[in-house]
Amino acid sequence: MERISWNQYFMAQSHLLKMRSTCERLAVGATIVRDKRMIAGGYNGSVSGSVHCADEGCYVIDGHCVRTIHAEMNAILQCAKFGVATEGAEIYVTHFPCVHCCKAIIQAGIKAVYYSTDYRNHPYAIELFREAGVEMHKVELENISLDPYHSEKLEFMDELINEIEARGAEPEKVSGLKEVAKKLFHQSHTHEA
């Protein structure tokens, strides 16, 4: 099995966190990391003990849901709540942070933002990150698999297609099967120590 990069690993954690989101409009996850160790995670959802958007719908004012706390803020607040320093840490977010989260990230002393999806990347947020010296990196996740048997499945699929081809299947049928297998199973990883 091929190893994924550290960036893909931490981004995958953020994607798992986003699956806990109670926001009806956009599910987001965030993981704060220092020295290749996860120190906090968050997802967008309601204040603890309050009603969730998934239960009663979003509470929208001026185009924004005011019920929801953003994933980045939840992760930063988790650090504050439990006394975990964020100075010099990195944050992995499924979507590019909004302006408000950008300001909180800077104030928390986080040195780098990794995101997997461009989402209303506000020019002022980008400007603030640059002024503060916060690095911004896009992390591609579409080519990784969280399936631990991915390689074995790929090898099995290749064997089946080769057997079908050896038994005289029509070339266009074999070609079609290979295309489907390529879309379903092939990966290209960026390795990082």
Side-chain angles (χ1 to χ4, degrees):
M1 182 169 80
E2 292 186 59
R3 294 176 73 195
I4 61 174
S5 72
W6 282 111
N7 288 339
Q8 290 174 323
Y9 172 75
F10 294 125
M11 189 59 71
Q13 298 298 319
S14 294
H15 278 271
L16 286 173
L17 279 162
K18 99 175 188 174
M19 294 171 73
R20 291 279 308 152
S21 173
T22 59
C23 180
E24 295 275 284
R25 296 164 46 121
L26 179 70
V28 179
T31 305
I32 299 178
V33 173
R34 189 176 46 246
D35 300 324
K36 293 196 176 19
R37 300 288 180 266
M38 291 176 279
I39 60 174
Y43 52 87
N44 55 334
S46 300
V47 174
S48 297
S50 185
V51 67
H52 295 284
C53 297
D55 299 327
E56 289 192 10
C58 292
Y59 183 11
V60 179
I61 298 176
D62 296 329
H64 299 283
C65 180
V66 296
R67 180 177 285 140
T68 303
I69 300 172
H70 289 190
E72 302 93 325
M73 293 297 284
N74 263 331
I76 291 168
L77 291 169
Q78 188 179 78
C79 288
K81 184 176 182 177
F82 295 107
V84 178
T86 54
E87 183 70 36
E90 302 166 324
I91 191 165
Y92 290 78
V93 189
T94 57
H95 295 74
F96 191 87
C98 72
V99 173
H100 297 295
C101 288
C102 160
K103 293 186 281 186
I105 288 166
I106 292 167
Q107 289 302 98
I110 293 172
K111 67 179 182 179
V113 173
Y114 297 85
Y115 64 98
S116 64
T117 303
D118 290 303
Y119 182 73
R120 300 180 183 173
N121 301 25
H122 199 284
Y124 186 56
I126 294 167
E127 179 185 335
L128 285 174
F129 279 146
R130 286 186 178 142
E131 283 177 3
V134 174
E135 297 175 19
M136 295 167 280
H137 304 280
K138 189 167 185 179
V139 177
E140 300 293 337
L141 265 192
E142 61 191 47
N143 292 327
I144 72 162
S145 171
L146 298 179
D147 182 355
Y149 300 105
H150 173 82
S151 296
E152 291 84 355
K153 289 177 182 178
L154 176 59
E155 288 173 20
F156 180 71
M157 184 60 67
D158 285 341
E159 283 180 36
L160 285 177
I161 293 172
N162 289 338
E163 181 66 27
I164 290 168
E165 187 173 30
R167 291 183 182 211
E170 297 175 17
E172 44 286 338
K173 178 70 173 173
V174 171
S175 178
L177 290 172
K178 286 182 179 181
E179 278 302 307
V180 170
K182 182 178 178 182
K183 287 179 184 173
L184 290 175
F185 291 102
H186 284 223
Q187 301 178 6
S188 61
H189 292 294
T190 304
H191 293 283
E192 184 178 296

